Amino acid sequence: MGKKSNFSLIGFMGSGKTSSGMELARLLKFNFVDSDQLIQNEMGMTVREIFEKYGEKAFREREKAQIEKIKTMEKTVWATGGGAWLDPLIRENLLENSWSVWLKVSVDESWNRVSSHLSQRPLLSKAANPISEIDLRLKERSAVYSLANYSVVTDDKTPREVAGEIFEIIKRDNLADLS
Ligand code: S3P
């Protein structure tokens, strides 16, 4: 086993990073951290409010600062926001300090999962046509998401099933100390 003992879940909005991450942490008996949640706690505001009041750039700065903390952590599952992995410094940090898993989701499945909480997704709620916006951004981002160490398809799977698949990969490749 290498020195990396954290796992990071990356991928598009609605891919299940938070829900599957919580399940994976439970299976591994690791801590669970959600970067959007850390930012919201720090700022005392929702992601939507941060985007409205300070703009996306400020949100991205806070995101980078919070994810820096992974350097000091061990045995933690990180759910990241859907845009975090696109930042080269965040990506480098996550590649260095965690095993990264891309949760793949189709346009339709992403839409099914996010449409009921659209107001909390400022990048989509502002779009004239959110489905085309998902399609466009997913196309733009997929090549970068594919740089993650592993990928798992999440369509038609429960968070528990996705976490179970990741757990099998971890055992197969001996990525974590499960003793
Ligand atoms: C974003 C995804 C969101 C949140 C913010 C920006 C993105 O997180 O960080 O709205 O750029 O894809 P989720 O992927 O958890 O929805």
Side-chain angles (χ1 to χ4, degrees):
M1 194 182 63
K3 67 181 174 62
K4 297 198 277 194
S5 77
N6 300 302
F7 291 89
S8 54
L9 302 186
I10 68 124
F12 201 69
M13 292 175 261
S15 59
K17 301 178 293 292
T18 302
S19 50
S20 308
M22 290 169 81
E23 289 289 340
L24 179 63
R26 198 177 54 79
L27 286 174
L28 291 168
K29 301 191 180 70
F30 278 23
N31 295 315
F32 173 74
V33 170
D34 181 304
S35 68
D36 281 345
Q37 198 58 54
L38 291 182
I39 300 163
Q40 298 188 107
N41 294 349
E42 180 197 13
M43 310 279 287
M45 290 184 215
T46 63
V47 169
R48 176 169 62 100
E49 288 166 341
I50 300 167
F51 268 69
E52 277 169 7
K53 187 150 189 223
Y54 300 110
E56 180 174 357
K57 193 154 175 281
F59 174 81
R60 298 297 176 199
E61 289 304 316
R62 298 325 306 151
E63 186 169 54
K64 202 178 351 244
Q66 289 296 346
I67 295 177
E68 277 286 300
K69 292 181 180 166
I70 197 173
K71 291 182 175 165
T72 63
M73 292 190 180
E74 287 181 346
K75 297 197 167 196
T76 301
V77 175
W78 278 69
T80 62
W85 181 259
L86 305 174
D87 181 293
L89 289 177
I90 295 180
R91 203 161 62 238
E92 198 180 301
N93 182 18
L94 291 174
L95 285 167
E96 178 88 21
N97 296 290
S98 67
W99 294 105
S100 48
V101 184
W102 173 23
L103 301 190
K104 295 175 95 167
V105 67
S106 65
V107 175
D108 288 347
E109 182 89 12
S110 168
W111 173 245
N112 283 341
R113 292 177 186 167
V114 301
S115 50
S116 54
H117 327 275
L118 206 56
S119 68
Q120 288 309 320
R121 260 75 178 210
L123 293 180
L124 301 179
S125 60
K126 298 277 180 289
N129 182 339
I131 301 183
S132 328
E133 190 69 21
I134 292 174
D135 188 39
L136 185 78
R137 286 187 183 260
L138 199 50
K139 284 200 179 96
E140 273 172 9
R141 291 177 172 189
S142 290
V144 185
Y145 287 150
S146 74
L147 301 171
N149 297 129
Y150 293 93
S151 69
V152 168
V153 172
T154 71
D155 283 32
D156 303 317
K157 291 176 192 163
T158 63
R160 191 173 281 218
E161 287 169 332
V162 171
E165 279 190 32
I166 301 171
F167 192 59
E168 290 306 315
I169 294 172
I170 292 170
K171 285 195 288 190
R172 182 194 70 198
D173 289 358
N174 196 19
L175 303 180
D177 178 8
L178 300 174
S179 59

